[in-house]
Amino acid sequence: MGHTIKEKTKLLNRVRRVLGQVEALERAVEEEKGCTEVLHLVVTARGAMNSLMAEIIEDHIRMHVVDPDHERGSRARGAEELIEIVQAYLK
């Protein structure tokens, strides 16, 4: 995925945001915080992960599906890869 290299800093920032959210969740469970607080942290971590996924999907579509510089077979492969990932994600 060449586009991940071009967008490396932006993606790493999002990954670090996810990591921070998961670490906060871990601390809350370790410290036996209330279920409401833990659930809010789960929602926050999920949102951060969804934002990361959306960013990568958007880049994938732009680079591997709609980019006119890619040959038709390559674009079709990119679309199929995306479909597989989205299906796995939604299970």
Side-chain angles (χ1 to χ4, degrees):
M1 279 199 318
H3 58 93
T4 56
I5 294 169
K6 286 196 278 187
E7 302 294 335
K8 183 178 179 177
T9 301
K10 181 171 57 173
L11 292 175
L12 281 174
N13 287 338
R14 285 199 181 274
V15 168
R16 290 178 183 123
R17 192 171 300 126
V18 169
L19 181 59
Q21 297 298 334
V22 172
E23 288 171 344
L25 175 59
E26 179 182 31
R27 282 190 304 275
V29 171
E30 185 65 38
E31 296 169 4
E32 299 177 2
K33 299 288 185 180
C35 58
T36 302
E37 185 174 342
V38 171
L39 286 170
H40 280 289
L41 291 168
V42 168
V43 168
T44 304
R46 182 178 180 195
M49 184 64 78
N50 285 344
S51 293
L52 172 64
M53 177 109 174
E55 188 74 39
I56 296 171
I57 287 173
E58 180 182 338
D59 289 347
H60 182 84
I61 291 169
R62 291 185 194 285
M63 297 298 294
H64 300 287
V65 179
V66 298
D67 185 355
D69 292 336
H70 281 81
E71 62 187 55
R72 185 181 176 115
S74 175
R75 292 191 331 226
R77 248 187 335 276
E80 285 301 317
E81 291 167 351
L82 180 59
I83 289 167
E84 289 174 17
I85 292 296
V86 170
Q87 286 176 339
Y89 179 74
L90 294 175
K91 284 186 179 180

